[in-house]
């Protein structure tokens, strides 16, 4: 497991915290390119803290299997309770390197270092190591005490040659960062206004900083297991857009499908609920501990508001008021209870499915059980395959044909009353919230399959990409309904007309430089196509013959997918009259 020590420099005199922005996409990967986060030193040795937390959780669950820890935990060892500023914690942090980032040694006191807890990156696939972060709060008295150049140098020096943070880096190891000191609430406000990208872990710590007390032993960073991931600590990469990997029956090397969640104004959008049997516990926990609690808060607030209105009405009424007002009050209360019941049953829950493959909708039965009033939105061909009694609505999305039409599509503005009349959707848009203040544009992106759709949030430039992209490697096209020409056309449309800043695939981690990724996809496809064309012209016309020349020896499963890829390339070459 790759290990980092994340440093939260906090000025207790003015309640400001230091965050850095990674300005380049070359070297420093602990914080993604263009995102803000806390400076993180690469640790050469894994710490013992995470193991202790997990052991404690396992002991708790063994004593009470029904209890899954999702609240603050207190870390203990064999002999004594470990306080936040215990020397054991300090010994885990490379204090000599931390000291180097200050203008002078008088600015840094080792007694002002506090351990907050540990977080790990989400589960995406077994073969890839997860990154593990220890979080330390460092109290300072002056915002000018941290030197930008020294911090850059220390971060670069801490990166090991074997660390994935150095992937894509240059031999001279350069780093370009920006520093900002602000109150935690200011950073969060700028994130919600689409002015800054902040990593989910950093958002969580910013929210928790206001609760921090140096005498409090509760950890701010809470370890989550695979059945509770994304519940206590929202994996929010853009305002109101979360991505939680849930175990699914997908193709190797992946073992999960990202469940995309957007909660807004008592409405919930869920994209690609692909949970299999192994992921069903996780999906149920997401529904019961996260989504239902979110909806209950709105019904509770409505009831509190009604009670307040009733109280005011009673105080202002005549003593001689007749029974009609009592009857009206009873009727209103009954209607309100019925409305709240429908909300909790999913009246305001929208489910969007990007295409027909089962690993994108296998968990629909779990949602149907909890939210029988929910609505499914998908392409007509997708809906024919989805086994569910939920209400189904066909959408086809907007084609990415030219910049002028796409710009009109993205920038169209409708009034609140117009949106309500549309019943929260059109063939090309989903409106989330009572006033439709969140718009997800439905984009037609055939290629992976002939019914593939993506969602695009124009405010944050976030592309919810289905299987058009993947977190590792390149997307495998369905050789029954996929089309290589359409895939490349769709990819060009994403690059030229949508210009996304974040891409959320259905499988694997997010991509923070999607235009570069999509251009690489096209380049890779065309290079592979050239190899296939050369093999074909040399007289190797069968799929197996071309496979041997282009791919060499592969495992049977991979050979099967590779031959499907060759088949689609040959179809494209025939359409273009090249063979």
């Amino acid at each position: 497991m790759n290990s980092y020590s994340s440093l939260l420099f906090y000025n207790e005199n003015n309640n400001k915290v230091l965050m850095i922005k990674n300005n380049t996409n070359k070297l420093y990967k602990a914080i993604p390119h263009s995102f803000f986060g806390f400076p993180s030193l690469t640790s050469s040795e894994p710490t013992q803290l995470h193991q202790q937390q997990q052991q404690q959780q396992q002991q708790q669950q063994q004593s009470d299997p029904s209890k899954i820890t999702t609240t603050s935990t207190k870390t203990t060892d064999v002999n004594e309770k470990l306080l936040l500023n215990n020397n054991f914690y300090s010994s885990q942090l490379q204090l000599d390197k931390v000291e180097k980032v200050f203008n002078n040694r008088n600015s840094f006191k080792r007694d002002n270092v506090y351990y907050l807890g540990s977080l790990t990156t989400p589960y995406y696939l077994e073969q890839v190591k997860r990154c593990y972060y220890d979080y330390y709060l460092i109290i300072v008295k002056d915002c000018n005490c941290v030197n930008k150049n020294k911090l850059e140098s220390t971060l670069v020096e801490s990166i090991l040659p074997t660390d994935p943070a150095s992937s894509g880096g240059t031999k001279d190891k350069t780093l370009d960062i920006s520093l900002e000191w602000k109150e935690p609430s200011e950073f969060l406000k700028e994130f919600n206004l689409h002015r800054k990208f902040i990593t989910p872990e950093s958002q969580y710590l910013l929210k928790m900083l206001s609760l921090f007390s140096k005498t409090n032993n509760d950890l701010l960073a809470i370890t989550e297991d695979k059945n509770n991931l994304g519940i206590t600590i929202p994996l929010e990469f853009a305002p109101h857009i979360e991505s939680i990997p849930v175990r699914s029956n997908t193709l190797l090397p992946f073992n999960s499908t990202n469940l995309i969640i957007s909660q807004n104004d008592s409405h919930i959008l869920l994209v690609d609920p692909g949970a299999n049997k192994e992921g069903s516990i996780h999906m149920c926990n997401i529904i019961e501990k996260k989504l239902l609690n979110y909806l209950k808060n709105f019904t509770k607030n409505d009831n509190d508001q009604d009670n307040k209105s009733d109280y005011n009405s009673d105080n202002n009424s005549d003593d001689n008021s007749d029974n009609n007002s009592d009857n009206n009050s009873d009727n209103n209360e009954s209607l309100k209870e019925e409305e709240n019941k429908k909300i909790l049953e999913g009246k305001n829950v929208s489910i969007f499915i990007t295409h027909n493959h089962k690993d994108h909708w296998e968990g629909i039965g779990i949602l149907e059980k909890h939210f029988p009033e929910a609505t499914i939105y998908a392409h007509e061909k997708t809906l024919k395959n989805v086994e569910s009694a939920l209400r189904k609505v066909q959408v086809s999305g907007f084609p990415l044909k030219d910049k002028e039409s796409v710009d009109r599509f993205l920038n169209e503005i409708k009034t609140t009353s117009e949106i309500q009349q549309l019943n929260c959707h059109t063939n090309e848009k989903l409106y989330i919230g009572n006033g439709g203040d969140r718009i997800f544009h439905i984009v037609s992106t055939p290629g992976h399959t002939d019914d593939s759709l993506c969602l695009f949030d124009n405010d944050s430039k976030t592309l919810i990409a289905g299987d058009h992209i993947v977190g590792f490697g390149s997307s495998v096209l369905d050789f029954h309904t996929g089309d290589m020409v359409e895939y490349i056309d769709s990819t060009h449309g994403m690059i030229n007309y949508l210009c996304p800043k974040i891409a959320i695939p259905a499988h694997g981690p997010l991509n923070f430089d999607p235009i570069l990724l999509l251009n690489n996809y096209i380049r890779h496809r065309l290079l592979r196509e050239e190899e296939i064309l050369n093999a074909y012209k040399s007289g190797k016309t069968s799929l197996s013959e071309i496979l041997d020349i282009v791919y060499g020896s592969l495992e049977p499963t991979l050979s099967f997918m590779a031959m499907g890829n060759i088949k689609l390339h040959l179809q494209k070459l025939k359409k273009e009259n090249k063979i």
Side-chain angles (χ1 to χ4, degrees), residues 359-376:
D359 59 322
H360 293 255
W361 57 264
E362 189 173 1
I364 203 78
I366 302 172
L367 292 176
E368 184 178 330
K369 178 182 176 182
H370 287 84
F371 300 124
E373 296 286 328
T375 301
I376 302 173

Side-chain angles (χ1 to χ4, degrees), residues 5 41 75 96 103 194 197 214 220 338 365 392 478 505 512:
S5 297
L41 301 173
T75 304
D96 57 329
N103 284 318
H194 306 281
F197 289 130
K214 285 180 281 186
L220 297 186
E338 182 63 26
K392 298 179 179 179
D478 185 323
F512 305 104

